[in-house]
Amino acid sequence: MKKSTIGLIVVIGAIAIWLISSYNGMVKMDEEVSSAWSNVENQYQRRVDLIPNLVNVVKGYASHEKETFEAVVSARSKATQVTVDPENLTPEKLQEYQKAQGEVGATLGRLLAITESYPELKANENFKELQAQLEGTENRISVERRNFNEIARTYNSAIRSFPRSIIAGMFGFEKRPYFEAEEGANKAPEVKF
Amino acid sequence: MLWGGLNLHAKDYTIQEIPMVHLEDKTRYVSNPDNILSDSTVAAIDSILYALEEKTGIQTMIVVVTGIEGGDCFDFAHRLGKEKGVGQKGRDNGLVVLLSTEERCVQFATGYGLEGVLPDAICKRIQNKYMVQHLGKSDWDTGMIEGIRALNGYLNGSMTNELQEESEDDLGFIIMGLLFLSPIFFILYRVFKPSKPRCPQCKKRNTTMTKSNTLSKTKDYEVVKKIYTCQDCGHTFEKEEKINFPKDDGFNNTSGRVTPRRSSNNHTPRGGSFGGGSFGGGGAGSRF
C-alpha cells in the first residue's frame, strides 16, 4: 500500500515536471517567433523610413515624374498602417501585411526604374548611398524573413508533435503562418550600377 | 563535382567547397583556390587582416573564386559568414569579402556588430571608389588590395580586441554552480558511499577495521585482506579489497589518448578559428 502510494507520487511528479518543462519550452519558442517577427517588421520599417529621402533626392532631378512619387508615398502610408501584433499573427494578417509591403516594393522598383534615364541623378553621391542603403535593407528583409520562417517552422513542428500537442491545445498555442515565396510584386527591386 | 576539372574557366563553388584557409593557419584569411590573386597580394592582404584581428578582434574571410553556385553574390557571401560563423560570438564582428570573376561581382557581408562601423553606404563607397574601376579591367590584385586597405582604414581602431566576456561569464557560472552544489555532492557521497562494510550477522554498519594485510601486489593494484569487528554484536569477519593505484597522468601512457600533434618545426603556424558571429544581411555588393 505504502509502496504503491510512493510510486504514484513519483509518477505524478514526473508527469508534472514533463508538463512544466514542455510548457516552458513552448513559451520560449513562442517568444522566439515573436522576436523574429519584430525583426522582420524592423527591417520593413527601415525600408519605409528611407522613402522620404529617396523621393526628395529623385524629385530634385526628375520633378515631373509626379505619378511615381505619389504611388510610392501612398503605398508607404498604407503600409505603415498595417501592423501586426505578434500575439495574433494569423495567416490572414500576415497576408495583408505582405501585400501592403509588396506594394511598397513594387512602387520603389518603379521609382528606381525611372532613375535609369537620369544620368546626373545616378551620379549623385547622396542618391548612390541611399540606393546602397535601400539595397542593404532589401537584403536584410529577405534574411529576416527567412529567419522568421525557420523559427516559425521549428515552433510549429514542436507544438504539433505528439504528445506536446496535447499541452499546446490545452494552453492555446497556435500554429504560426509563414511568409510565402517571393511573388513578382514583392521581389527586391533590381538595383543596377 | 567531377565536371569542375574539365571546365577550366568557371568552377562554381558551393559553400562547403570553399577552402577554409584560416582554420588551417590563423595568419591566413584569403581563400584563393583558383589562384586568381597573386601570392604577393595574398600575403599583403593576410598581413593587414592579421594585424586587424590582433588589434580589434574583427574576423575576416576573403574568398576569391571563378564562380559561385546559384550566382547570387549577396546570398553566397551572407551564407558563408553565417554558416562558417565568422566573427566573435556575441560581438558579431565578422566580415566576408567575396569576389567572383564569373558573376563579375564583389560583395561585402558585415556581421551585426560591424553594421555600425561599416554601414552599407560605406561598403558601397569603398567598392565604388577603390575596387570597381580595377576589377572592371580584370586587375584583381589591385582592386582587392585597395579595397582591403580601405576597409582596414575604417575598421582599424573601431574596437578593441577584448577578451570574450561571454566565456568568462560562462566560466563564472560554472564555478558558482560548483560552489553551490559541492555541499550537496559531498552529502550524497557520504550517504551513498559507505566506508564501512555491513556486519553479516546483525546487518548493521557499526563495524571497525582492526587489521589489514596485503595479500598480493601488482603494478596497477594490490589486494588487501581487512579484518573487521562489529561494534554491536562483536562478530569478526574478513573482507578482501582490491585497491587500484592512481594512474600516471598520461605521460607514459600513450594508448587511447589523442595528444595534440606537435610539429618538430617551431614555425608551423597554428590553425585559427571563427567564433560563431551572426549576420543579418548587412553589407553591399557591386558589379563591374
Side-chain angles (χ1 to χ4, degrees), chain A residues 28-80:
Chain A
K28 195 170 164 248
M29 275 191 272
D30 192 40
E31 280 304 311
E32 279 167 12
V33 175
S34 298
S35 86
W37 173 255
S38 58
N39 286 343
V40 172
E41 274 194 325
N42 283 346
Q43 297 308 336
Y44 274 117
Q45 185 58 42
R46 196 174 149 148
R47 180 171 76 174
V48 156
D49 290 341
L50 284 173
I51 290 174
N53 280 336
L54 194 67
V55 167
N56 278 340
V57 174
V58 179
K59 254 186 191 163
Y61 292 84
S63 50
H64 57 275
E65 308 273 4
K66 246 189 166 152
E67 277 167 42
T68 318
F69 300 140
E70 274 164 15
V72 180
V73 170
S74 86
R76 174 181 187 261
S77 67
K78 259 184 224 154
T80 45

Short mmCIF file of all heavy atoms in Angstrom, two decimals, chain A residues 28-80:
data_model
loop_
_atom_site.label_atom_id
_atom_site.label_comp_id
_atom_site.label_asym_id
_atom_site.label_seq_id
_atom_site.Cartn_x
_atom_site.Cartn_y
_atom_site.Cartn_z
N LYS A 28 9.01 29.64 -24.56
CA LYS A 28 10.27 30.18 -25.05
C LYS A 28 10.27 30.25 -26.58
O LYS A 28 10.66 31.25 -27.17
CB LYS A 28 11.42 29.30 -24.55
CG LYS A 28 12.76 29.95 -24.68
CD LYS A 28 13.82 29.14 -23.95
CE LYS A 28 15.19 29.59 -24.41
NZ LYS A 28 15.88 28.56 -25.18
N MET A 29 9.80 29.19 -27.20
CA MET A 29 9.77 29.16 -28.67
C MET A 29 8.81 30.21 -29.21
O MET A 29 9.08 30.84 -30.22
CB MET A 29 9.39 27.78 -29.17
CG MET A 29 10.57 26.85 -29.27
SD MET A 29 10.14 25.35 -30.14
CE MET A 29 9.56 24.38 -28.80
N ASP A 30 7.70 30.36 -28.50
CA ASP A 30 6.72 31.35 -28.90
C ASP A 30 7.33 32.75 -28.87
O ASP A 30 7.14 33.56 -29.78
CB ASP A 30 5.51 31.26 -27.96
CG ASP A 30 4.33 32.05 -28.48
OD1 ASP A 30 4.10 32.01 -29.69
OD2 ASP A 30 3.66 32.72 -27.67
N GLU A 31 8.12 33.00 -27.82
CA GLU A 31 8.81 34.28 -27.71
C GLU A 31 9.79 34.47 -28.86
O GLU A 31 9.95 35.57 -29.38
CB GLU A 31 9.57 34.36 -26.38
CG GLU A 31 8.71 34.69 -25.19
CD GLU A 31 7.95 36.00 -25.39
OE1 GLU A 31 8.59 36.98 -25.78
OE2 GLU A 31 6.73 36.01 -25.18
N GLU A 32 10.46 33.39 -29.22
CA GLU A 32 11.42 33.47 -30.32
C GLU A 32 10.72 33.83 -31.63
O GLU A 32 11.24 34.61 -32.42
CB GLU A 32 12.19 32.16 -30.47
CG GLU A 32 13.33 32.06 -29.48
CD GLU A 32 13.90 30.66 -29.38
OE1 GLU A 32 13.57 29.80 -30.23
OE2 GLU A 32 14.67 30.42 -28.43
N VAL A 33 9.56 33.25 -31.84
CA VAL A 33 8.80 33.58 -33.05
C VAL A 33 8.45 35.06 -33.02
O VAL A 33 8.62 35.77 -34.02
CB VAL A 33 7.52 32.72 -33.16
CG1 VAL A 33 6.69 33.15 -34.36
CG2 VAL A 33 7.86 31.25 -33.28
N SER A 34 8.00 35.55 -31.86
CA SER A 34 7.63 36.95 -31.74
C SER A 34 8.81 37.86 -32.02
O SER A 34 8.68 38.88 -32.71
CB SER A 34 7.09 37.26 -30.35
OG SER A 34 5.95 36.51 -30.10
N SER A 35 9.98 37.49 -31.48
CA SER A 35 11.11 38.39 -31.69
C SER A 35 11.59 38.31 -33.14
O SER A 35 12.02 39.32 -33.70
CB SER A 35 12.22 38.11 -30.69
OG SER A 35 13.06 37.10 -31.14
N ALA A 36 11.49 37.13 -33.77
CA ALA A 36 11.83 37.03 -35.18
C ALA A 36 10.87 37.89 -36.00
O ALA A 36 11.27 38.55 -36.96
CB ALA A 36 11.76 35.58 -35.65
N TRP A 37 9.61 37.91 -35.59
CA TRP A 37 8.63 38.73 -36.30
C TRP A 37 8.97 40.21 -36.16
O TRP A 37 8.92 40.97 -37.14
CB TRP A 37 7.21 38.45 -35.80
CG TRP A 37 6.24 39.41 -36.41
CD1 TRP A 37 5.65 40.48 -35.80
CD2 TRP A 37 5.82 39.44 -37.77
NE1 TRP A 37 4.88 41.17 -36.70
CE2 TRP A 37 4.96 40.56 -37.91
CE3 TRP A 37 6.08 38.65 -38.88
CZ2 TRP A 37 4.37 40.89 -39.13
CZ3 TRP A 37 5.49 38.98 -40.08
CH2 TRP A 37 4.65 40.08 -40.20
N SER A 38 9.35 40.63 -34.97
CA SER A 38 9.65 42.05 -34.82
C SER A 38 10.91 42.43 -35.59
O SER A 38 11.03 43.55 -36.07
CB SER A 38 9.70 42.47 -33.35
OG SER A 38 10.66 41.73 -32.68
N ASN A 39 11.84 41.49 -35.74
CA ASN A 39 13.00 41.76 -36.60
C ASN A 39 12.56 42.01 -38.04
O ASN A 39 13.08 42.89 -38.71
CB ASN A 39 13.99 40.60 -36.58
CG ASN A 39 14.76 40.54 -35.28
OD1 ASN A 39 14.81 41.52 -34.53
ND2 ASN A 39 15.36 39.41 -35.00
N VAL A 40 11.63 41.20 -38.49
CA VAL A 40 11.11 41.38 -39.86
C VAL A 40 10.49 42.76 -39.98
O VAL A 40 10.80 43.53 -40.90
CB VAL A 40 10.07 40.28 -40.20
CG1 VAL A 40 9.39 40.59 -41.52
CG2 VAL A 40 10.71 38.92 -40.25
N GLU A 41 9.64 43.10 -39.00
CA GLU A 41 8.96 44.39 -39.04
C GLU A 41 9.94 45.55 -39.01
O GLU A 41 9.76 46.55 -39.71
CB GLU A 41 7.99 44.50 -37.85
CG GLU A 41 6.64 43.91 -38.15
CD GLU A 41 5.59 44.32 -37.13
OE1 GLU A 41 5.94 44.46 -35.94
OE2 GLU A 41 4.43 44.49 -37.51
N ASN A 42 10.99 45.41 -38.18
CA ASN A 42 12.01 46.47 -38.11
C ASN A 42 12.63 46.74 -39.46
O ASN A 42 12.84 47.90 -39.83
CB ASN A 42 13.14 46.07 -37.16
CG ASN A 42 12.73 46.22 -35.72
OD1 ASN A 42 11.72 46.86 -35.43
ND2 ASN A 42 13.49 45.62 -34.83
N GLN A 43 12.93 45.67 -40.18
CA GLN A 43 13.59 45.87 -41.48
C GLN A 43 12.64 46.48 -42.50
O GLN A 43 13.04 47.34 -43.29
CB GLN A 43 14.17 44.56 -42.00
CG GLN A 43 15.28 43.98 -41.13
CD GLN A 43 16.38 44.97 -40.80
OE1 GLN A 43 16.60 45.93 -41.53
NE2 GLN A 43 17.06 44.75 -39.69
N TYR A 44 11.38 46.06 -42.46
CA TYR A 44 10.40 46.69 -43.36
C TYR A 44 10.23 48.16 -43.00
O TYR A 44 10.12 49.02 -43.87
CB TYR A 44 9.05 45.96 -43.28
CG TYR A 44 8.95 44.77 -44.21
CD1 TYR A 44 8.77 43.50 -43.72
CD2 TYR A 44 9.01 44.95 -45.59
CE1 TYR A 44 8.68 42.41 -44.57
CE2 TYR A 44 8.91 43.87 -46.44
CZ TYR A 44 8.75 42.60 -45.93
OH TYR A 44 8.65 41.54 -46.78
N GLN A 45 10.25 48.42 -41.69
CA GLN A 45 10.12 49.81 -41.23
C GLN A 45 11.30 50.63 -41.74
O GLN A 45 11.14 51.77 -42.17
CB GLN A 45 10.06 49.83 -39.70
CG GLN A 45 9.82 51.19 -39.09
CD GLN A 45 8.51 51.81 -39.59
OE1 GLN A 45 7.50 51.11 -39.68
NE2 GLN A 45 8.54 53.08 -39.94
N ARG A 46 12.46 50.02 -41.70
CA ARG A 46 13.65 50.70 -42.14
C ARG A 46 13.55 51.08 -43.61
O ARG A 46 13.95 52.17 -44.01
CB ARG A 46 14.80 49.71 -41.93
CG ARG A 46 16.14 50.29 -41.97
CD ARG A 46 17.09 49.18 -41.60
NE ARG A 46 18.34 49.39 -42.28
CZ ARG A 46 19.50 49.03 -41.77
NH1 ARG A 46 19.56 48.44 -40.61
NH2 ARG A 46 20.60 49.24 -42.45
N ARG A 47 12.98 50.19 -44.40
CA ARG A 47 12.82 50.49 -45.82
C ARG A 47 11.84 51.65 -46.01
O ARG A 47 12.10 52.56 -46.80
CB ARG A 47 12.30 49.25 -46.56
CG ARG A 47 12.12 49.50 -48.04
CD ARG A 47 11.84 48.25 -48.80
NE ARG A 47 10.46 47.80 -48.62
CZ ARG A 47 9.92 46.78 -49.28
NH1 ARG A 47 10.64 46.10 -50.13
NH2 ARG A 47 8.67 46.44 -49.07
N VAL A 48 10.76 51.58 -45.25
CA VAL A 48 9.75 52.62 -45.35
C VAL A 48 10.34 53.98 -44.94
O VAL A 48 10.04 55.02 -45.52
CB VAL A 48 8.54 52.21 -44.47
CG1 VAL A 48 7.74 53.40 -44.05
CG2 VAL A 48 7.68 51.22 -45.20
N ASP A 49 11.24 53.96 -43.95
CA ASP A 49 11.87 55.20 -43.50
C ASP A 49 12.80 55.81 -44.53
O ASP A 49 13.09 57.00 -44.48
CB ASP A 49 12.66 54.96 -42.20
CG ASP A 49 11.73 54.68 -41.03
OD1 ASP A 49 10.54 55.03 -41.14
OD2 ASP A 49 12.20 54.14 -40.01
N LEU A 50 13.28 55.00 -45.44
CA LEU A 50 14.20 55.52 -46.46
C LEU A 50 13.45 56.27 -47.56
O LEU A 50 14.04 57.07 -48.28
CB LEU A 50 14.97 54.37 -47.11
CG LEU A 50 16.11 53.74 -46.33
CD1 LEU A 50 16.61 52.51 -47.07
CD2 LEU A 50 17.24 54.73 -46.15
N ILE A 51 12.16 55.99 -47.66
CA ILE A 51 11.40 56.51 -48.80
C ILE A 51 11.40 58.04 -48.91
O ILE A 51 11.70 58.57 -49.98
CB ILE A 51 9.97 55.92 -48.82
CG1 ILE A 51 10.09 54.43 -49.19
CG2 ILE A 51 9.06 56.65 -49.79
CD1 ILE A 51 8.79 53.69 -49.12
N PRO A 52 11.11 58.79 -47.82
CA PRO A 52 11.06 60.24 -47.98
C PRO A 52 12.36 60.84 -48.54
O PRO A 52 12.32 61.65 -49.47
CB PRO A 52 10.81 60.74 -46.56
CG PRO A 52 10.19 59.61 -45.85
CD PRO A 52 10.75 58.38 -46.46
N ASN A 53 13.49 60.39 -48.00
CA ASN A 53 14.77 60.88 -48.50
C ASN A 53 14.98 60.54 -49.96
O ASN A 53 15.42 61.37 -50.76
CB ASN A 53 15.93 60.26 -47.71
CG ASN A 53 16.13 60.97 -46.39
OD1 ASN A 53 15.75 62.14 -46.26
ND2 ASN A 53 16.69 60.27 -45.44
N LEU A 54 14.65 59.31 -50.29
CA LEU A 54 14.85 58.85 -51.65
C LEU A 54 14.00 59.67 -52.62
O LEU A 54 14.47 60.14 -53.65
CB LEU A 54 14.49 57.36 -51.73
CG LEU A 54 14.94 56.62 -52.97
CD1 LEU A 54 16.45 56.53 -53.01
CD2 LEU A 54 14.34 55.23 -53.00
N VAL A 55 12.74 59.85 -52.24
CA VAL A 55 11.83 60.61 -53.10
C VAL A 55 12.35 62.04 -53.28
O VAL A 55 12.36 62.57 -54.39
CB VAL A 55 10.40 60.59 -52.52
CG1 VAL A 55 9.52 61.62 -53.22
CG2 VAL A 55 9.79 59.21 -52.67
N ASN A 56 12.82 62.65 -52.20
CA ASN A 56 13.32 64.01 -52.29
C ASN A 56 14.50 64.13 -53.23
O ASN A 56 14.57 65.06 -54.03
CB ASN A 56 13.73 64.51 -50.90
CG ASN A 56 12.53 65.02 -50.13
OD1 ASN A 56 11.50 65.32 -50.73
ND2 ASN A 56 12.66 65.09 -48.82
N VAL A 57 15.41 63.19 -53.13
CA VAL A 57 16.59 63.25 -54.00
C VAL A 57 16.17 63.10 -55.46
O VAL A 57 16.61 63.85 -56.33
CB VAL A 57 17.61 62.17 -53.60
CG1 VAL A 57 18.76 62.14 -54.59
CG2 VAL A 57 18.14 62.43 -52.21
N VAL A 58 15.30 62.12 -55.71
CA VAL A 58 14.88 61.88 -57.10
C VAL A 58 14.11 63.10 -57.63
O VAL A 58 14.29 63.49 -58.78
CB VAL A 58 14.04 60.59 -57.21
CG1 VAL A 58 13.59 60.36 -58.63
CG2 VAL A 58 14.85 59.40 -56.72
N LYS A 59 13.28 63.69 -56.78
CA LYS A 59 12.50 64.87 -57.17
C LYS A 59 13.38 65.98 -57.70
O LYS A 59 13.02 66.69 -58.64
CB LYS A 59 11.72 65.40 -55.96
CG LYS A 59 10.24 65.11 -56.02
CD LYS A 59 9.53 65.80 -54.86
CE LYS A 59 8.10 65.30 -54.75
NZ LYS A 59 7.50 65.60 -53.45
N GLY A 60 14.56 66.15 -57.09
CA GLY A 60 15.48 67.20 -57.49
C GLY A 60 15.90 67.09 -58.94
O GLY A 60 16.26 68.08 -59.58
N TYR A 61 15.85 65.86 -59.48
CA TYR A 61 16.32 65.66 -60.85
C TYR A 61 15.19 65.34 -61.82
O TYR A 61 15.31 65.56 -63.01
CB TYR A 61 17.35 64.53 -60.89
CG TYR A 61 18.64 64.89 -60.21
CD1 TYR A 61 18.77 64.73 -58.83
CD2 TYR A 61 19.72 65.40 -60.92
CE1 TYR A 61 19.95 65.06 -58.19
CE2 TYR A 61 20.90 65.73 -60.29
CZ TYR A 61 21.00 65.55 -58.92
OH TYR A 61 22.17 65.89 -58.29
N ALA A 62 14.14 64.75 -61.28
CA ALA A 62 13.07 64.27 -62.16
C ALA A 62 11.73 64.74 -61.62
O ALA A 62 10.85 63.93 -61.31
CB ALA A 62 13.12 62.75 -62.24
N SER A 63 11.57 66.04 -61.52
CA SER A 63 10.41 66.60 -60.82
C SER A 63 9.08 66.26 -61.51
O SER A 63 8.04 66.22 -60.87
CB SER A 63 10.55 68.11 -60.69
OG SER A 63 10.87 68.67 -61.93
N HIS A 64 9.10 66.00 -62.81
CA HIS A 64 7.83 65.77 -63.49
C HIS A 64 7.30 64.35 -63.38
O HIS A 64 6.22 64.05 -63.86
CB HIS A 64 7.95 66.18 -64.96
CG HIS A 64 9.05 65.46 -65.65
ND1 HIS A 64 10.35 65.89 -65.61
CD2 HIS A 64 9.05 64.32 -66.38
CE1 HIS A 64 11.12 65.05 -66.29
NE2 HIS A 64 10.35 64.10 -66.76
N GLU A 65 8.03 63.46 -62.73
CA GLU A 65 7.55 62.07 -62.57
C GLU A 65 6.59 61.97 -61.38
O GLU A 65 6.73 61.11 -60.53
CB GLU A 65 8.73 61.10 -62.37
CG GLU A 65 9.81 61.20 -63.39
CD GLU A 65 9.56 60.33 -64.61
OE1 GLU A 65 8.48 59.70 -64.68
OE2 GLU A 65 10.43 60.28 -65.49
N LYS A 66 5.62 62.86 -61.40
CA LYS A 66 4.75 63.00 -60.24
C LYS A 66 4.02 61.74 -59.83
O LYS A 66 3.97 61.39 -58.65
CB LYS A 66 3.72 64.10 -60.53
CG LYS A 66 3.93 65.29 -59.62
CD LYS A 66 2.79 66.24 -59.77
CE LYS A 66 2.83 67.21 -58.62
NZ LYS A 66 2.25 68.48 -58.94
N GLU A 67 3.48 61.07 -60.84
CA GLU A 67 2.67 59.88 -60.55
C GLU A 67 3.45 58.84 -59.75
O GLU A 67 2.93 58.25 -58.81
CB GLU A 67 2.21 59.22 -61.85
CG GLU A 67 0.98 59.86 -62.43
CD GLU A 67 0.76 59.40 -63.86
OE1 GLU A 67 0.93 58.19 -64.12
OE2 GLU A 67 0.45 60.25 -64.71
N THR A 68 4.69 58.64 -60.17
CA THR A 68 5.50 57.63 -59.48
C THR A 68 5.71 58.02 -58.03
O THR A 68 5.58 57.18 -57.14
CB THR A 68 6.86 57.50 -60.19
OG1 THR A 68 6.65 57.53 -61.59
CG2 THR A 68 7.54 56.22 -59.82
N PHE A 69 6.01 59.31 -57.80
CA PHE A 69 6.21 59.75 -56.41
C PHE A 69 4.97 59.50 -55.58
O PHE A 69 5.05 58.99 -54.46
CB PHE A 69 6.56 61.24 -56.35
CG PHE A 69 7.81 61.61 -57.07
CD1 PHE A 69 7.90 62.77 -57.81
CD2 PHE A 69 8.93 60.78 -57.00
CE1 PHE A 69 9.05 63.10 -58.47
CE2 PHE A 69 10.09 61.10 -57.67
CZ PHE A 69 10.15 62.27 -58.42
N GLU A 70 3.84 59.89 -56.17
CA GLU A 70 2.59 59.73 -55.42
C GLU A 70 2.31 58.27 -55.10
O GLU A 70 1.89 57.93 -53.99
CB GLU A 70 1.43 60.33 -56.21
CG GLU A 70 1.28 61.82 -55.94
CD GLU A 70 0.42 62.52 -56.97
OE1 GLU A 70 -0.29 61.83 -57.73
OE2 GLU A 70 0.48 63.76 -57.02
N ALA A 71 2.59 57.42 -56.08
CA ALA A 71 2.36 55.99 -55.85
C ALA A 71 3.21 55.48 -54.70
O ALA A 71 2.73 54.75 -53.81
CB ALA A 71 2.66 55.21 -57.12
N VAL A 72 4.49 55.89 -54.69
CA VAL A 72 5.38 55.42 -53.61
C VAL A 72 4.88 55.92 -52.27
O VAL A 72 4.78 55.17 -51.29
CB VAL A 72 6.83 55.91 -53.84
CG1 VAL A 72 7.73 55.42 -52.73
CG2 VAL A 72 7.36 55.46 -55.17
N VAL A 73 4.54 57.22 -52.23
CA VAL A 73 4.15 57.81 -50.95
C VAL A 73 2.86 57.19 -50.44
O VAL A 73 2.74 56.90 -49.23
CB VAL A 73 4.04 59.35 -51.10
CG1 VAL A 73 3.40 59.96 -49.87
CG2 VAL A 73 5.42 59.95 -51.33
N SER A 74 1.91 56.94 -51.35
CA SER A 74 0.65 56.38 -50.84
C SER A 74 0.84 54.92 -50.42
O SER A 74 0.26 54.49 -49.42
CB SER A 74 -0.46 56.53 -51.87
OG SER A 74 -0.45 55.46 -52.77
N ALA A 75 1.67 54.20 -51.16
CA ALA A 75 1.95 52.81 -50.74
C ALA A 75 2.61 52.81 -49.37
O ALA A 75 2.32 51.97 -48.52
CB ALA A 75 2.85 52.12 -51.76
N ARG A 76 3.47 53.81 -49.16
CA ARG A 76 4.17 53.90 -47.88
C ARG A 76 3.20 54.14 -46.74
O ARG A 76 3.25 53.47 -45.71
CB ARG A 76 5.19 55.04 -47.94
CG ARG A 76 5.85 55.31 -46.61
CD ARG A 76 6.84 56.45 -46.72
NE ARG A 76 7.57 56.58 -45.48
CZ ARG A 76 7.29 57.45 -44.53
NH1 ARG A 76 6.28 58.28 -44.69
NH2 ARG A 76 7.99 57.50 -43.43
N SER A 77 2.28 55.11 -46.97
CA SER A 77 1.39 55.44 -45.86
C SER A 77 0.42 54.29 -45.58
O SER A 77 0.07 54.02 -44.44
CB SER A 77 0.64 56.74 -46.11
OG SER A 77 -0.23 56.57 -47.19
N LYS A 78 0.04 53.57 -46.65
CA LYS A 78 -0.81 52.40 -46.42
C LYS A 78 -0.07 51.34 -45.61
O LYS A 78 -0.62 50.74 -44.69
CB LYS A 78 -1.24 51.80 -47.77
CG LYS A 78 -2.65 52.21 -48.16
CD LYS A 78 -3.03 51.49 -49.46
CE LYS A 78 -3.70 52.44 -50.41
NZ LYS A 78 -3.55 52.03 -51.82
N ALA A 79 1.19 51.14 -46.00
CA ALA A 79 1.95 50.07 -45.34
C ALA A 79 2.19 50.38 -43.87
O ALA A 79 2.20 49.47 -43.03
CB ALA A 79 3.29 49.86 -46.06
N THR A 80 2.37 51.65 -43.54
CA THR A 80 2.63 51.97 -42.13
C THR A 80 1.39 51.74 -41.27
O THR A 80 1.50 51.59 -40.06
CB THR A 80 3.12 53.42 -41.94
OG1 THR A 80 2.31 54.27 -42.74
CG2 THR A 80 4.56 53.58 -42.34
#
